[in-house]
Amino acid sequence: MEGGRALQQNRARAFLETNRSWKAVDGFYKRSVRDREELFRLVPDEILKRIVQGEAWRSSSPAQGGGKRQRARLTYSARIGYHGTGFSGFAWQKEDENTIEAHLQRRLGGLLDKPSPVVSCSGRTDKGVHSVGQLVSFYSWKDISDDDIARALRERDPSTGNALEVYYVRRVPRSFHATFSCHWRYYAYVLPRLADGLLDVSPGHLRTLLSRLEGKELSYNAYARDTPKGKDTKCVLHCCRVTEALLGGFDGGEETPVTVVHLVGNRFLRRMVRVIVSTAVKEAMELVEGGGGGDGGRDKLVELCELGDRGLLQIPAPACGLCLVGAGYSPWE
């Protein structure tokens, strides 16, 4: 049984990783970090509207200080982007200085007069995952201009040679927290189509499978990896969309046809999006091979949630296809 599952997962991995233009996807994300419009043109209007509305928000609340004997603590937020291929993920790691959190701490430390300032984020991305919509927050006991913070964050790190894109910096209410104040996160997964002549997954079948997850509170423990004991695994996917697009030629090459999976949820567990994508691709291919008729298999992703057996799901899809595109701070509904 275990050997059969491993063989099935290896086949699914090969199906996702070979004969696809992942280099074109990586180049697309590298360009999108510098110019978000490159990616935004792939985003469905109903989601893009929420992103634009959320980023137009300005805090009108003054920073809240303590009593007369206390200095006012100021809280700031920054919307940042990064090409994940050059980083080891977001979260700080003891023996790896090449994480985004460590990068932020080094860039902010001198400005805030703190060697390791506390930085919160809207979503911890894994190694190789990109972002054009990560929101981070931090506090300061000094009044620092938004421009000075943005300038410090944009500086190339001499330790790693990496740099972040900073879209804006804003002062926010003292109680604001990039993680706990967040109502929804939006991830896009760009899957390059198979080379001409090879049977590929049907976007229509992907759409049908993923739509069954929408609006339901489910335990996604089976879709997660390395989940801490006792962690709440219930999530709600507010919006599940599948679209098709063409990526502009990479280094003057031909356009690359892609399928894009769009997932908006109140929260996501570690590697959850990538496992959803890989498992949906595998189930969609089974629908293709079975002729795609009837309703058989269309609730399979929900059934796998309910079974809770990680061994029945696929390994995570390649990290380079995933991007945190946005995070919202007002309810989705």
Side-chain angles (χ1 to χ4, degrees):
M1 177 70 76
E2 292 301 322
R5 288 182 181 180
L7 180 61
Q8 186 182 68
Q9 290 178 341
N10 286 336
R11 287 175 177 169
R13 170 184 285 178
F15 181 74
L16 282 170
E17 294 182 355
T18 58
N19 298 309
R20 298 182 188 272
S21 300
W22 287 111
K23 183 179 179 181
V25 172
D26 190 68
F28 164 75
Y29 278 130
K30 189 173 184 178
R31 298 192 302 273
S32 296
V33 170
R34 296 192 300 265
D35 179 8
R36 293 194 295 170
E37 292 303 319
E38 181 93 1
L39 193 154
F40 283 173
R41 67 182 180 83
L42 273 58
V43 179
D45 288 344
E46 61 185 304
I47 302 176
L48 184 59
K49 181 180 178 181
R50 305 268 189 152
I51 293 174
V52 172
Q53 288 176 341
E55 295 195 355
W57 173 81
R58 292 287 191 279
S59 170
S60 58
S61 303
Q64 300 173 16
K68 292 183 179 180
R69 296 182 182 179
Q70 277 189 304
R71 293 178 294 166
R73 194 187 80 174
L74 307 177
T75 305
Y76 296 87
S77 70
R79 187 79 66 173
I80 63 172
Y82 43 86
H83 182 228
T85 304
F87 289 94
S88 301
F90 187 93
W92 184 89
Q93 299 174 36
K94 185 177 181 180
E95 298 182 359
D96 191 339
E97 64 181 9
N98 195 31
T99 66
I100 294 142
E101 185 173 11
H103 180 105
L104 289 166
Q105 289 178 329
R106 288 192 295 270
R107 301 272 58 77
L108 290 169
L111 198 64
L112 304 180
D113 294 333
K114 295 182 67 177
S116 298
V118 177
V119 179
S120 304
C121 68
S122 55
R124 289 186 171 188
T125 51
D126 288 330
K127 180 179 181 179
V129 176
H130 320 284
S131 179
V132 300
Q134 177 73 271
L135 195 86
V136 298
S137 64
F138 47 91
Y139 66 86
S140 170
W141 295 104
K142 300 192 303 182
D143 191 348
I144 308 170
S145 74
D146 296 350
D147 288 343
D148 285 345
I149 292 173
R151 192 175 302 112
L153 291 178
R154 287 192 182 104
E155 289 179 0
R156 189 167 296 278
D157 194 314
S159 302
T160 63
N162 284 330
L164 301 174
E165 192 67 40
V166 182
Y167 306 118
Y168 59 79
V169 174
R170 293 176 186 161
R171 188 176 298 181
V172 290
R174 177 172 176 162
S175 60
F176 181 87
H177 191 284
T179 306
F180 303 128
S181 300
C182 189
H183 285 266
W184 54 265
R185 289 91 174 161
Y186 161 43
Y187 285 90
Y189 193 92
V190 176
L191 176 68
R193 303 289 294 171
L194 279 174
D196 290 344
L198 298 175
L199 181 64
D200 204 352
V201 64
S202 160
H205 288 147
L206 278 177
R207 196 174 293 120
T208 298
L209 285 160
L210 290 166
S211 69
R212 300 297 210 269
L213 297 173
E214 193 170 300
K216 298 181 175 72
E217 184 180 62
L218 297 167
S219 169
Y220 281 88
N221 184 57
Y223 287 89
R225 297 295 180 267
D226 303 321
T227 308
K229 186 176 181 180
K231 183 178 179 68
D232 180 13
T233 60
K234 290 183 178 179
C235 309
V236 179
L237 296 185
H238 299 304
C239 184
C240 304
R241 299 290 181 268
V242 178
T243 59
E244 298 176 77
L246 287 172
L247 304 186
F250 176 64
D251 284 349
E254 296 181 354
E255 292 183 319
T256 302
V258 298
T259 297
V260 188
V261 175
H262 311 267
L263 298 177
V264 179
N266 65 332
R267 57 199 294 266
F268 290 91
L269 306 175
R270 189 177 184 194
R271 300 186 182 175
M272 172 177 153
V273 175
R274 292 163 56 201
V275 175
I276 287 177
V277 169
S278 62
T279 303
V281 167
K282 181 259 183 184
E283 297 300 331
M285 281 306 298
E286 290 195 357
L287 289 175
V288 170
E289 292 164 356
D295 291 330
R298 275 147 169 79
D299 289 313
K300 190 60 179 288
L301 299 184
V302 176
E303 293 169 3
L304 289 169
C305 272
E306 294 169 345
L307 287 171
D309 184 350
R310 292 181 178 177
L312 297 175
L313 283 84
Q314 302 307 302
I315 60 172
C320 65
L322 185 60
C323 183
L324 173 59
V325 184
Y329 290 83
S330 58
W332 180 261
E333 292 76 19

